[in-house]
Amino acid sequence: MKTNKSVQNSYSVIRQALQKLANPAKAAILGRFFKTGPGEYGQGDIFWGITVPEQRTVAKRFANLSLDIIKKMLADPIHEVRLTAGLILVDQCRHNPSQHQDYLDFYLNNIASFNNWDLIDLTAPKIIGQYLVNNQNKKLLLLKELRRNDNLWARRAAMVANLTLIKHGDYRTALRMAPQYLKERHDLLHKATGWILREVGKRNQTALLNFLDHWASRMPRVMLRYSLEKLPAPLRQKYLQIRYVNH
């Protein structure tokens, strides 16, 4: 087992490797894009301006970091340090399928550190979604627990984890969950739900249309618009003309 000193040293090395890639101009743009201002969902998050491909390169260099170091990275105030930790975790989970339960438990115990939508979207489908594909008997209970979590990012994770289920032919889970997000107040959850519905429609348009016929009038407009993006123009117009009713 690594000593606390070695953990600190390894953490410092990967942090320095990332900091060398910092781009202040990009950092300013990312800070605005990810809503880091006062009262916004990403308030206080700090960016170094490092692209995701650059972070993936660093993640590959440090692919064998211990969970202790990954946990330390997840507590870092710098967005890219936390995201790189997530990318390493995803790769370790993929290469060690027999330990998927351990990675899932670690992920769920630290879900609050994945505190922006890109952190969730790049990790939840691979860690939660793939686990559920392989453990169907635990699917509904785990998603239900995440859906009821007070943490915004846990609730987004519950929805975007469906990406992997959809790719494996499971549309019903997403369609069953989507109505539970109609009353959510945050547009990040509306957007995520619309995105997942759009993915259902790309693979099974009939399933999406049946859902829209029943729920379109009660869907927040951003959720509806996202769900319609891949439909033919006449169908998009049909559903956009439906009057919103806030039940």
Side-chain angles (χ1 to χ4, degrees), residues 110-130:
N110 292 279
I111 194 77
S113 295
F114 294 83
N115 55 351
N116 216 313
W117 58 263
D118 61 326
L119 299 172
I120 290 295
D121 295 358
L122 289 171
T123 56
K126 303 293 180 61
I127 297 176
I128 301 175
Q130 188 60 51

Side-chain angles (χ1 to χ4, degrees), residues 72-116:
K72 190 172 180 64
M73 291 174 66
L74 289 172
D76 198 283
I78 304 301
H79 186 98
E80 290 91 343
V81 176
R82 300 197 306 282
L83 179 52
T84 301
L87 296 175
I88 294 171
L89 190 67
V90 166
D91 283 344
Q92 289 190 6
C93 188
R94 179 167 59 88
H95 287 110
N96 300 283
S98 64
Q99 300 175 46
H100 201 142
Q101 180 71 61
D102 294 333
Y103 288 111
L104 175 70
D105 291 343
F106 177 86
Y107 183 73
L108 296 178
N109 287 335
N110 292 279
I111 194 77
S113 295
F114 294 83
N115 55 351
N116 216 313

Side-chain angles (χ1 to χ4, degrees), residues 53-64:
E54 288 175 325
Q55 291 175 73
R56 290 192 186 279
T57 298
V58 174
K60 288 180 180 178
R61 285 173 52 197
F62 296 89
N64 297 318

Side-chain angles (χ1 to χ4, degrees), residues 21-71:
L21 300 170
N23 184 319
K26 288 183 180 178
I29 294 170
L30 291 172
R32 292 191 294 271
F33 183 72
F34 285 98
K35 307 297 184 184
T36 61
E40 296 181 313
Y41 62 76
Q43 179 177 339
D45 206 354
I46 303 170
F47 283 83
W48 274 343
I50 309 170
T51 67
V52 173
E54 288 175 325
Q55 291 175 73
R56 290 192 186 279
T57 298
V58 174
K60 288 180 180 178
R61 285 173 52 197
F62 296 89
N64 297 318
L65 289 183
S66 71
L67 291 181
D68 285 342
I69 301 173
I70 293 174
K71 184 176 179 66

Side-chain angles (χ1 to χ4, degrees), residues 194-210:
W195 171 28
I196 296 303
L197 291 171
R198 181 184 71 207
E199 293 303 308
V200 170
K202 284 165 60 176
R203 293 164 175 81
N204 189 327
Q205 187 177 102
T206 299
L208 173 60
L209 295 180
N210 288 339

